[in-house]
Amino acid sequence: MIVTLLTDFGIQDTFSGILKGVIKTIAPHAELIDLTHQVPAQDIAAGAFALSTAYRYFPPGTIHLVVVDPGVGSDRHPVAAHIGDMIYVCPDNGLLTYVLPKNRLHEAVILDNTQYHLPDVSNTFHGRDIFAPVAAHLANGVPLRSLGTPIYQLLRLPVTYPEVQKNIITGHIIAFDVYGNAYTDITKDLLSTWSAQDLQISIGDLKISSLAMSYSDVPIGSPLALFGSSGHLEIAIRNGNAGAQLGLQHGAVVWIADRKENGFPV
Amino acid sequence: MIVTLLTDFGIQDTFSGILKGVIKTIAPHAELIDLTHQVPAQDIAAGAFALSTAYRYFPPGTIHLVVVDPGVGSDRHPVAAHIGDMIYVCPDNGLLTYVLPKNRLHEAVILDNTQYHLPDVSNTFHGRDIFAPVAAHLANGVPLRSLGTPIYQLLRLPVTYPEVQKNIITGHIIAFDVYGNAYTDITKDLLSTWSAQDLQISIGDLKISSLAMSYSDVPIGSPLALFGSSGHLEIAIRNGNAGAQLGLQHGAVVWIADRKENGFPV
Amino acid sequence: MIVTLLTDFGIQDTFSGILKGVIKTIAPHAELIDLTHQVPAQDIAAGAFALSTAYRYFPPGTIHLVVVDPGVGSDRHPVAAHIGDMIYVCPDNGLLTYVLPKNRLHEAVILDNTQYHLPDVSNTFHGRDIFAPVAAHLANGVPLRSLGTPIYQLLRLPVTYPEVQKNIITGHIIAFDVYGNAYTDITKDLLSTWSAQDLQISIGDLKISSLAMSYSDVPIGSPLALFGSSGHLEIAIRNGNAGAQLGLQHGAVVWIADRKENGFPV
């Protein structure tokens, strides 16, 4: 059984290694795969987006252990949930914001059966004391419903949605990757009938006059817009860092328009 | 058999990958788990502390391969040791400083049987040429005593110890994690009979008037003191970086006092 | 079957985790080992050097998945190749520059059989859509020749070679590691008959008057030259960063001379 790990623990300390030790002690046959431990510290939205990019590429039955947990020790619930064909183990703080709308929530529980936790639960490291042992017991075949009390709704963060008007879509920057490419909430399906050649993308003062098919469509150093590997419209600079060089911020508005329909200069 | 890896090799180069290739070539069934490769370069004390936070969460029989080795090529001994219910493979330079006092040293050897090393041993990369192959042979079931000459004492670094007087404990900062939380040598058992409400913690000019149970006990940006997941007293700033913001240094003195007993202003 | 991963994806995002999910979905028994994901972005030469340091330490039959791919979406070919006793899956852009001269190219194919790719291939993430599934099918035993059209020559980058004159070797800096140690193209075999004591190494204004056997041969803070674990002559500063402190650049010339033969001051 595969258990993935997605946290904000960083890689300098041994926190992620400790999770793995706890899991392998309980579930010797679990296979552990890191998604990332470099979610910005305590940034639930960034963790939710990171999870949204990766979860679907794993085999059915994969257990995704997700720990970005600024509320550890407060009253947020630790939960496990069967959503789509995967299992998620995480604090109920919005980490599943992007997974929930696209997949059916079959079953979820609050992790209040302490039999499946470590004997001494700290107030500061539920990753080690609750989430990792629960993930391990799930990998061993313990049924979800044994782990605690059913819960029927999981927290979602408020998210921006693109606004689709007649041939103009207004979207927003929702994340950056490590190259500085900016991801928007505009997905490919929203403009599947439009022509890539007749589009204009605007962000602040920057105008981009067509959709690129790949980074190499434009000269080195030039900005481009393309639907990247995530299915989201990305603003990038070839071999550069669009976020830093263009001064882009989370939430910044991005317009995409059909120039012919809108009378834009072609 | 699990082999963990804890080094100062960083993650930019392929050094840790090379260790894994060497191990898997000799011991195809070994399972490899990274603790961290980001110990500050050649900082034996930091490596020893990192090991101390993680070793106990692994199953009995785990082989911990620990390579922070500023003396590579000099006369420090490469060793393997059976301590508690784990095996350690490392240079004898103090990396086991925190493991030894809490666990029984059953057996240790200097790794001078070259039959278990790579054929050509370099002067600069014993991780690859000695420690990794030895860890792999141990994972294959080679007995510890076959690996070299017995040794009966292993090097320990000088470490600070907290000084416990009548209701005042004087401790020291011994490490920082990646969030800037400062770890002290004051452990929870030293004040198990004290009341969390009546304590005062002092570090430089900063006074903290009670122990927190979790980070969320104080407002964002406020300093706090708590016994964290490691069992050590930590000085932290909620959602901040205590080390940087408070100018804390390794070895800085931390006092914890019972205010009623000491007549401190409550 | 071992599949190694060497990319420039960094570790902040989930890109490397996605590759692993794709591989494990197709080849559940594949064992995944990271070489590094921190190759400088789109730096094919650095990726080629990183691969050259690590590939030979893995068991025969290992599949090395190497994705540093600035030309993704352009006309560079995705390829798989059986070279020496390993398999390589990568873009044909020079990543095999250092592997090819030292190992026999048995067979290579352009990856144009889309049956072994993901159903929808993006223009921006062939690591996920082509290279990872191909590596997984190879791990499952699919023969190389099934994956596409044979190709008989693979791209090599222009590389510097050391120039060997009578007792003077002129070499070049070709890479740096994370410690700032500078690697040259001068390998140990070029001066196997010389005496370490009678050498002088020159780089810019710096003269080093003998070869060190290990970092600890010189005082902390002093420069040294030694044949390191890679077999390449390295310029280092003990406990320092030679690249930064000496202002060394890629391609900088390094001379090594036999002082007696050349009449150099001893």
Side-chain angles (χ1 to χ4, degrees):
Chain A
M1 188 63 70
I2 293 174
V3 179
T4 76
L5 298 95
L6 194 163
T7 79
D8 66 346
F9 295 167
I11 59 159
Q12 186 175 327
D13 302 303
T14 58
F15 299 128
S16 67
I18 289 171
L19 294 195
K20 293 175 186 177
V22 169
I23 294 169
K24 292 295 285 188
T25 301
I26 296 170
H29 299 297
E31 292 192 81
L32 305 172
I33 295 182
D34 296 309
L35 292 184
T36 179
H37 298 290
Q38 297 285 97
V39 172
Q42 309 192 328
D43 187 337
I44 298 167
F49 184 76
L51 180 63
S52 79
T53 63
Y55 74 90
R56 74 173 66 87
Y57 293 101
F58 284 82
T62 294
I63 297 162
H64 293 298
L65 174 57
V66 190
V67 188
V68 179
D69 196 10
V72 62
S74 71
D75 58 2
R76 64 96 190 93
H77 289 126
V79 293
H82 177 192
I83 306 173
D85 53 6
M86 311 269 182
I87 305 288
Y88 300 84
V89 181
C90 58
D92 181 25
N93 62 9
L95 286 169
L96 302 175
T97 294
Y98 297 105
V99 171
L100 285 164
K102 299 196 172 169
N103 299 277
R104 187 169 164 208
L105 172 58
H106 301 284
E107 190 179 8
V109 294
I110 297 171
L111 300 173
D112 52 14
N113 185 344
T114 57
Q115 167 185 357
Y116 296 107
H117 305 173
L118 290 197
D120 293 309
V121 172
S122 71
N123 286 299
T124 55
F125 196 4
H126 287 185
R128 176 191 68 192
D129 303 332
I130 298 177
F131 298 115
V134 160
H137 286 295
L138 285 163
N140 278 345
V142 169
L144 194 72
R145 63 181 164 281
S146 304
L147 300 169
T149 307
I151 180 173
Y152 301 99
Q153 196 159 5
L154 296 171
L155 189 71
R156 299 187 197 191
L157 301 175
V159 291
T160 61
Y161 291 98
E163 190 183 334
V164 182
Q165 293 174 297
K166 183 173 177 295
N167 298 313
I168 298 184
I169 300 172
T170 307
H172 314 81
I173 290 177
I174 57 171
F176 295 90
D177 70 18
V178 71
Y179 305 114
N181 299 326
Y183 293 79
T184 72
D185 52 9
I186 300 173
T187 48
K188 205 167 185 173
D189 52 298
L190 295 180
L191 64 169
S192 54
T193 62
W194 297 20
S195 157
Q197 277 66 48
D198 292 327
L199 300 179
Q200 183 173 60
I201 297 98
S202 305
I203 173 159
D205 294 336
L206 177 70
K207 312 284 184 209
I208 297 171
S209 58
S210 69
L211 271 182
M213 295 304 289
S214 77
Y215 298 120
S216 53
D217 280 5
V218 303
I220 288 173
S222 291
L224 70 151
L226 86 175
F227 283 99
S229 57
S230 65
H232 289 252
L233 184 73
E234 291 176 36
I235 309 297
I237 290 179
R238 185 174 173 199
N239 291 18
N241 184 308
Q245 293 173 245
L246 302 173
L248 304 180
Q249 302 287 338
H250 267 267
V253 172
V254 177
W255 290 274
I256 181 164
D258 182 324
R259 285 179 297 179
K260 281 186 308 195
E261 292 290 331
N262 289 285
F264 279 26
V266 179
Chain B
M1 187 63 70
I2 294 175
V3 179
T4 76
L5 297 94
L6 194 163
T7 78
D8 65 346
F9 295 167
I11 59 160
Q12 186 177 327
D13 301 303
T14 58
F15 299 129
S16 67
I18 289 171
L19 294 195
K20 293 175 185 176
V22 169
I23 294 170
K24 294 294 284 187
T25 300
I26 296 169
H29 300 296
E31 293 192 81
L32 304 172
I33 295 183
D34 295 310
L35 292 184
T36 178
H37 298 290
Q38 297 285 97
V39 172
Q42 310 193 325
D43 186 338
I44 298 167
F49 184 76
L51 180 63
S52 79
T53 64
Y55 73 91
R56 73 174 65 88
Y57 293 101
F58 284 81
T62 293
I63 297 161
H64 293 299
L65 174 56
V66 190
V67 189
V68 179
D69 196 10
V72 62
S74 71
D75 58 1
R76 66 94 190 93
H77 289 127
V79 293
H82 177 192
I83 306 172
D85 53 7
M86 311 269 182
I87 305 287
Y88 300 84
V89 181
C90 58
D92 181 25
N93 61 10
L95 286 168
L96 302 174
T97 293
Y98 297 105
V99 171
L100 284 164
K102 298 197 172 167
N103 299 276
R104 185 169 165 208
L105 173 59
H106 301 285
E107 190 179 8
V109 294
I110 298 171
L111 301 172
D112 51 14
N113 185 345
T114 57
Q115 168 186 359
Y116 296 107
H117 305 174
L118 290 197
D120 294 309
V121 173
S122 71
N123 285 299
T124 55
F125 196 4
H126 286 185
R128 176 192 68 192
D129 302 332
I130 297 177
F131 298 116
V134 160
H137 286 295
L138 285 164
N140 278 346
V142 169
L144 193 73
R145 64 182 163 281
S146 305
L147 300 170
T149 307
I151 181 173
Y152 301 99
Q153 195 159 6
L154 297 171
L155 190 72
R156 301 186 196 192
L157 301 176
V159 293
T160 62
Y161 291 97
E163 190 183 334
V164 182
Q165 294 173 297
K166 183 172 177 292
N167 297 313
I168 298 184
I169 300 171
T170 307
H172 314 81
I173 290 178
I174 56 171
F176 295 90
D177 70 18
V178 72
Y179 304 115
N181 300 326
Y183 293 79
T184 72
D185 53 8
I186 300 173
T187 49
K188 205 169 186 172
D189 52 299
L190 294 180
L191 65 169
S192 54
T193 63
W194 297 19
S195 157
Q197 277 65 49
D198 292 328
L199 300 179
Q200 184 173 59
I201 297 97
S202 305
I203 174 159
D205 294 335
L206 177 69
K207 311 283 185 209
I208 298 170
S209 58
S210 69
L211 271 181
M213 295 303 290
S214 76
Y215 299 119
S216 54
D217 280 6
V218 303
I220 287 173
S222 291
L224 69 151
L226 85 175
F227 283 99
S229 57
S230 65
H232 288 253
L233 184 73
E234 290 175 37
I235 308 297
I237 290 178
R238 186 176 173 198
N239 291 18
N241 184 310
Q245 293 173 245
L246 302 174
L248 304 180
Q249 302 287 338
H250 267 267
V253 171
V254 178
W255 290 275
I256 181 164
D258 182 324
R259 285 179 296 178
K260 281 187 305 195
E261 293 288 330
N262 289 285
F264 279 24
V266 180
Chain C
M1 188 62 70
I2 293 175
V3 179
T4 76
L5 298 95
L6 193 164
T7 79
D8 64 347
F9 295 168
I11 60 159
Q12 186 175 327
D13 302 303
T14 59
F15 299 128
S16 68
I18 289 171
L19 294 196
K20 293 175 186 177
V22 169
I23 293 169
K24 293 294 284 188
T25 301
I26 295 169
H29 300 296
E31 292 193 81
L32 305 172
I33 295 183
D34 295 310
L35 292 184
T36 178
H37 297 290
Q38 298 283 97
V39 172
Q42 310 191 326
D43 186 338
I44 298 168
F49 184 76
L51 180 63
S52 79
T53 64
Y55 73 91
R56 74 174 65 88
Y57 293 102
F58 284 81
T62 293
I63 298 162
H64 293 298
L65 174 57
V66 190
V67 189
V68 179
D69 197 11
V72 63
S74 71
D75 58 2
R76 65 94 190 95
H77 289 127
V79 293
H82 176 192
I83 305 173
D85 53 6
M86 312 268 182
I87 305 288
Y88 299 83
V89 181
C90 58
D92 181 25
N93 62 10
L95 286 168
L96 302 175
T97 294
Y98 296 106
V99 171
L100 285 164
K102 298 196 173 169
N103 298 276
R104 185 170 165 205
L105 172 60
H106 301 286
E107 190 179 9
V109 293
I110 297 171
L111 301 173
D112 52 13
N113 184 345
T114 57
Q115 166 186 357
Y116 296 106
H117 305 173
L118 290 197
D120 294 309
V121 172
S122 70
N123 286 300
T124 56
F125 195 4
H126 286 185
R128 177 191 67 192
D129 303 332
I130 297 178
F131 298 115
V134 160
H137 286 295
L138 285 164
N140 278 344
V142 170
L144 194 73
R145 63 182 165 280
S146 304
L147 299 169
T149 307
I151 180 174
Y152 301 99
Q153 196 160 6
L154 296 171
L155 190 71
R156 300 186 196 191
L157 301 176
V159 293
T160 61
Y161 291 98
E163 190 183 333
V164 183
Q165 293 173 297
K166 183 173 177 293
N167 297 313
I168 298 184
I169 300 172
T170 306
H172 314 81
I173 290 177
I174 57 172
F176 295 90
D177 70 17
V178 72
Y179 304 115
N181 299 327
Y183 293 79
T184 71
D185 52 9
I186 301 172
T187 49
K188 205 168 184 172
D189 52 299
L190 294 180
L191 65 169
S192 55
T193 62
W194 298 19
S195 157
Q197 276 66 47
D198 293 326
L199 301 179
Q200 183 173 59
I201 297 98
S202 305
I203 174 159
D205 295 335
L206 177 69
K207 311 284 183 208
I208 297 171
S209 59
S210 69
L211 270 182
M213 295 302 290
S214 76
Y215 298 120
S216 54
D217 279 4
V218 302
I220 288 174
S222 291
L224 69 151
L226 85 176
F227 283 99
S229 57
S230 64
H232 289 251
L233 183 73
E234 292 175 36
I235 309 298
I237 290 178
R238 186 175 173 197
N239 291 18
N241 184 309
Q245 292 172 246
L246 302 174
L248 304 180
Q249 303 286 337
H250 267 267
V253 172
V254 178
W255 290 273
I256 181 164
D258 183 322
R259 287 178 295 180
K260 282 184 308 192
E261 293 289 331
N262 290 284
F264 279 25
V266 180

